[in-house]
Amino acid sequence: MAKLTKFFNDAVEEMQHKVSWPTYSELQKSSILVLVGSVVFALVVGAMDFVYDSTLEWFYNQF
């Protein structure tokens, strides 16, 4: 039990004193960057899905 208590105490100390937390403006910029990247990725994957679906539907309708 002592090892578990020491682990949690060390974890709390590390989070308070050794971790460098981003500022609010850095956090906002990173969040916006992730959001924009996710939207772009979703649009690219959606476009690829549409093209493949349309192509396969056209191909299957030829028979």
Side-chain angles (χ1 to χ4, degrees), residues 3-55:
K3 287 183 179 182
L4 187 61
T5 304
K6 182 177 180 340
F7 170 77
F8 282 115
N9 288 337
D10 290 346
V12 169
E13 181 183 340
E14 185 170 343
M15 292 297 259
Q16 289 176 345
H17 301 293
K18 295 181 181 179
V19 173
S20 61
W21 297 98
T23 63
Y24 187 71
S25 63
E26 290 174 339
L27 187 62
Q28 281 183 323
K29 289 177 187 176
S30 297
S31 298
I32 291 171
L33 182 63
V34 168
L35 180 65
V36 169
S38 298
V39 169
V40 168
F41 185 72
L43 289 173
V44 168
V45 170
M48 289 171 53
D49 182 52
F50 177 75
V51 168
Y52 290 142
D53 183 51
S54 299
T55 303

